[in-house]
Amino acid sequence: MTDRYHHGDLRRALIEAAVEALGETGPSALSLRAVAKRAGVSHAAPAHHFGDKAGLLTAVATEGFERLADALDRAWRTTGDFYAVGAAYVRFAIDNRPYFETMFRPELLHPDDPDLQRAEARSRAGLYRGAGDPPADGGYNPTALAAWSLVHGFAELLLAGNFPQAVADDPDAAFRAVATVTRFEVE
Amino acid sequence: MTDRYHHGDLRRALIEAAVEALGETGPSALSLRAVAKRAGVSHAAPAHHFGDKAGLLTAVATEGFERLADALDRAWRTTGDFYAVGAAYVRFAIDNRPYFETMFRPELLHPDDPDLQRAEARSRAGLYRGAGDPPADGGYNPTALAAWSLVHGFAELLLAGNFPQAVADDPDAAFRAVATVTRFEVE
DNA sequence: CGAGGAAACTTGACACTGTCAAGACGGCGG
DNA sequence: CCGCCGTCTTGACAGTGTCAAGTTTCCTCG
């Protein structure tokens, strides 16, 4: 199974190898050849399945958005609480750092990929739920924007190491404190 | 002055060339050799002044934090309004995208560089002003964290193209709307 | 059953990258 | 005028992504 010429599910294996490598090097330093070596295939094998380096990262990002959407749905379903969804967003960023770090870097992706956009839409829908009325045609819901900005900014600044040590030591508590002092007036 | 062997202020010229290039390619695709060519020097000249590719990006990020601190100070000085400082943060991200995009990518920088850390501290101080009491020793002020998260997340999501078109068309109005529905309870 | 063709993967090459060592150049103090 | 040191160049090296061509395997259809 492992040393066949036809791998079986090399696409899957490459994505997993990429996530591993991303955890060690970060998305901008990812090496396609290193991913291929990790999966035990030749250096040009990834290109066959993903076309591009950006194609591989797009596949990773797509899977990331799917997982994020799942996590947000689960949080909403089990608690019905708007803030719990936000906490789940932050948790996801911490637990799935390799995914999260590639999901919001359009310059490394194929941003127009249909699968990616579908997964993005699923995540957005899961996040917006509970933020009042959905936006009118072409418009936006300020409350939804505000909530997304808050949780996303918290996650980014946390991962980038811009917060004090105490935040990194107990991010959940820190986010709870942040959520406690923040009120969104649903209009 | 321009074609001397000793350039005069090559360091400065390289930073400016880097910012130009960053505006076109983004920080992860920046090529040192392209920067050198743009500045009209040999391909190894940047290494002499900055040691590293990360060193050059660190210099750019440092200058970015200085400029951000200036912008935040100015906003506070002229308005005395907490939300105006937030708006200035978002404006800075839009107007100085090449800087902003490199400032929060520690994996591309030398995060322990003393000059960088000084400039970061200046920005943080400018942002925290007006967010209630400064944090206790080793602790954090939840209101300051929340405000920073909100403006930073808004800026990141905007630049990454994750917001509806209407937001991109008039970001200032969108941020005003976001700030209007958000209340921070200073404790 | 066996031939043909498509799909999966490899091999080799190319231009480009960052980094390093060694050398050429230029201004400055003695 | 000499020597020296900081500034920059030249040349080389290993590693990168991508592309074209070749090889291997599987599947299907006669």
Side-chain angles (χ1 to χ4, degrees):
Chain A
M1 155 89 80
T2 69
D3 55 349
R4 293 200 328 229
Y5 193 95
H6 282 51
H7 182 286
D9 200 356
L10 180 54
R11 187 187 156 86
R12 179 98 293 256
L14 284 171
I15 292 181
E16 286 170 11
V19 172
E20 272 184 52
L22 283 167
E24 297 169 9
T25 65
S28 36
L30 181 79
S31 157
L32 268 192
R33 290 169 109 107
V35 170
K37 185 170 295 182
R38 199 183 286 258
V41 291
S42 82
H43 68 261
H48 184 265
H49 283 275
F50 302 99
D52 243 348
K53 181 175 181 177
L56 173 56
L57 288 174
T58 300
V60 172
T62 302
E63 195 170 300
F65 277 111
E66 300 279 6
R67 292 182 179 218
L68 175 58
D70 290 345
L72 299 182
D73 287 352
R74 189 165 37 246
W76 175 258
R77 203 157 5 94
T78 59
T79 69
D81 179 16
F82 188 38
Y83 286 98
V85 176
Y89 191 99
V90 172
R91 241 316 98 214
F92 175 86
I94 297 170
D95 292 338
N96 303 80
R97 181 172 184 148
Y99 286 103
F100 191 81
E101 283 182 337
T102 75
M103 288 159 59
F104 296 95
R105 271 184 183 60
E107 81 274 14
L108 301 179
L109 272 39
H110 292 144
D112 297 334
D113 181 272
D115 290 339
L116 176 64
Q117 294 204 340
R118 248 190 305 276
E120 280 181 15
R122 264 199 69 203
S123 282
R124 234 188 321 263
L127 189 65
Y128 282 180
R129 194 167 18 213
D133 293 334
D137 237 24
Y140 51 85
N141 177 336
T143 306
L145 255 52
W148 192 7
S149 296
L150 184 79
V151 295
H152 187 77
F154 187 90
E156 287 268 6
L157 291 170
L158 175 66
L159 292 185
N162 287 95
F163 280 154
Q165 185 58 37
V167 178
D169 289 341
D170 192 346
D172 294 299
F175 179 75
R176 221 177 304 123
V178 163
T180 302
V181 300
T182 310
R183 288 277 88 90
F184 297 119
E185 297 167 1
V186 181
E187 38 172 40
Chain B
M1 156 88 81
T2 68
D3 55 348
R4 293 199 327 229
Y5 192 94
H6 284 50
H7 182 286
D9 200 356
L10 181 55
R11 188 189 156 85
R12 179 98 294 258
L14 283 172
I15 292 182
E16 288 170 9
V19 172
E20 272 185 51
L22 283 167
E24 298 171 8
T25 66
S28 36
L30 181 79
S31 157
L32 267 193
R33 292 170 108 105
V35 170
K37 184 170 296 182
R38 201 184 284 258
V41 292
S42 82
H43 67 261
H48 185 265
H49 284 273
F50 302 99
D52 242 348
K53 181 175 180 177
L56 173 55
L57 288 174
T58 300
V60 171
T62 302
E63 196 171 299
F65 276 112
E66 300 281 6
R67 292 181 179 220
L68 174 58
D70 290 345
L72 299 181
D73 287 352
R74 188 165 39 245
W76 175 257
R77 204 162 358 97
T78 59
T79 70
D81 179 16
F82 187 39
Y83 286 99
V85 176
Y89 191 99
V90 172
R91 244 310 100 214
F92 175 87
I94 297 170
D95 293 338
N96 302 81
R97 181 172 185 148
Y99 287 103
F100 191 81
E101 282 183 336
T102 75
M103 288 159 61
F104 296 95
R105 269 183 184 58
E107 82 274 13
L108 301 178
L109 271 41
H110 292 142
D112 297 334
D113 182 271
D115 290 338
L116 176 65
Q117 294 204 342
R118 248 189 306 275
E120 279 181 15
R122 264 200 68 205
S123 282
R124 233 186 323 261
L127 190 65
Y128 282 179
R129 194 165 21 207
D133 293 334
D137 238 24
Y140 52 85
N141 178 336
T143 305
L145 255 52
W148 192 7
S149 295
L150 184 78
V151 296
H152 187 78
F154 187 90
E156 287 268 7
L157 291 170
L158 175 66
L159 292 186
N162 287 94
F163 280 156
Q165 185 57 38
V167 179
D169 289 340
D170 192 348
D172 294 298
F175 179 74
R176 222 175 304 124
V178 163
T180 302
V181 299
T182 309
R183 290 275 88 90
F184 297 119
E185 297 167 2
V186 182
E187 43 171 39

